[in-house]
Amino acid sequence: MSFLSNTLSRVKPSPTIAMTAKTAELKAAGRDVIGLSAGEPDFDTPQNIKDAAAAAINAGKTKYTAPDGIPELKEAVCAKMKRDHGLEYTPAQVSVGTGGKQTLYNALMATLNDGDEVVIPAPYWVSYPDMVLLAGGTPVVAETSLQTNFKLTPDQLEEAITPKTKWFIFNSPSNPTGAGYSRDELKALTDVLMRHPHVWVMSDDMYEHLAYDGFEFCTPAEVEPALYDRTLTCNGVSKAYAMTGWRIGYAAGPVALIAAMRKIQSQSTSNPCSISQWAALEALNGTQDFLAPNNEVFKRRRNFVVDALNKIEGISCPKPEGAFYVYPSIAGLIGKTTPKGTVIEDDEAFANALLQEADVAVVFGAAFGLSPNFRVSYATSDDALKTACERIQAFCNSLQ
């Protein structure tokens, strides 16, 4: 009889974290590896946010807080939801967790029973299906395609919903594709959901502020107010505010669901870091002036990477609306062989060979549920991106 839980057999380690760890290992061994696998801005946390954290430390705000967040931060989340989306929430409808991942996980743990299904469009963030499995549910993957720019169609959503469906997980702009749904595209999906009142919506808005070319972000409960009572809107400060290590996420939704999530959190981690909460308060309430110039940098990098990859024979890379990822197809490279004799049987073989033979780290598409593709994070320096794209081009040109 195994000492370890049977639950572990249902999940796998995060492939993105594994690739980041492998990159660090090779760098420590002296290899000149360029990492394009981590979804982490290379910008420093804005100074006003760091100053707020230092002030909190100096003021002695280093004690336990309420399990799911200080009142001031919950009020700030309510103000943000009203300001940006016209959605009214009270602090009793807000949960603050240790990163966006915890709020998603708490909600799934608080709601899923054996046999409950969760519809997840693919490609998806690697943690969605495994969190569903950990919570005892069943992921139902609805595959998108390059032809629709990796966006789920209303017909696909309709087909995926069954009487057992409890949640639909929605992420726009998307990790890993950067695809963003327009208001009309999202309204078409919410029209489907209105026909299925037993299905709740988990909207992961983490990349809300990372949008380009005039793309206007919108969230499901904003587009279809009738979904308000069965929507959990999730967000955080990690990406747009360059606060990945501070570990603060938040969610707004119905009081009963938030109370259930609070119960889960009170018996697991309890409160998020008190200092990080005060920093996040400044992030939401303070100046937003840095967002626009940061987005211009990301947009320039996106355009460069998309153009560079589309010049490579065998690769097709759509231009996404937001986030800081691209998700190129390598359909034209499958079956080819590297100079060292590795056959590119699939996107995992491609990513491994690219790392070992060209010193560029990316994440293979199967990790996100859709192949043959790979994810590039362009949240790194222009010089690193230039060198990495040159290496990818040389590697692909060397295939026979």
Side-chain angles (χ1 to χ4, degrees), residues 86-304:
L87 295 171
E88 297 276 2
Y89 289 98
T90 68
Q93 293 176 276
V94 174
S95 177
V96 179
T98 306
K101 183 180 288 189
Q102 185 177 33
T103 58
L104 299 170
Y105 182 70
N106 286 348
L108 295 170
M109 286 295 294
T111 58
L112 292 182
N113 297 305
D114 289 345
D116 287 342
E117 296 177 350
V118 178
V119 175
I120 305 172
Y124 45 69
W125 179 43
V126 294
S127 292
Y128 292 148
D130 288 284
M131 288 193 291
V132 169
L133 290 166
L134 277 171
T138 301
V140 175
V141 175
E143 289 192 0
T144 65
S145 68
L146 182 65
Q147 287 67 40
T148 62
N149 287 326
F150 305 117
K151 298 178 190 179
L152 190 71
T153 68
D155 288 344
Q156 288 176 310
L157 177 58
E158 186 80 57
E159 184 178 354
I161 292 174
T162 76
K164 296 181 179 180
T165 305
K166 183 163 278 187
W167 285 101
F168 167 53
I169 296 182
F170 177 75
N171 177 216
S172 169
S174 160
N175 176 5
T177 68
Y181 290 72
S182 69
R183 182 173 290 269
D184 288 344
E185 289 168 334
L186 182 49
K187 183 63 167 64
L189 295 181
T190 61
D191 285 348
V192 174
L193 294 166
M194 289 300 297
R195 295 195 289 271
H196 299 277
H198 66 293
V199 180
W200 284 51
V201 185
M202 183 177 291
S203 183
D204 183 350
D205 298 353
M206 187 62 74
Y207 297 91
E208 167 188 1
H209 292 299
L210 302 174
Y212 319 116
D213 301 329
F215 173 76
E216 294 185 4
F217 171 85
C218 51
T219 195
E222 172 187 7
V223 170
E224 179 49 80
L227 286 174
Y228 175 89
D229 288 332
R230 52 187 172 108
T231 298
L232 184 70
T233 302
C234 307
N235 210 320
V237 297
S238 295
K239 310 298 183 178
Y241 297 95
M243 295 176 67
T244 50
W246 297 78
R247 308 309 300 134
I248 294 292
Y250 57 83
V255 171
L257 174 59
I258 295 299
M261 293 167 60
R262 183 184 309 118
K263 182 185 291 187
I264 296 288
Q265 190 159 311
S266 72
Q267 296 292 7
S268 56
T269 62
S270 194
N271 68 271
C273 170
S274 61
I275 303 306
S276 294
Q277 291 188 64
W278 290 103
L281 176 65
E282 174 62 22
L284 294 182
N285 285 350
T287 179
Q288 310 290 300
D289 290 348
F290 55 85
L291 292 176
N294 284 0
N295 275 10
E296 282 301 313
V297 173
F298 281 138
K299 177 182 175 180
R300 184 184 70 244
R301 293 173 177 175
R302 178 204 61 173
N303 292 344
F304 171 78

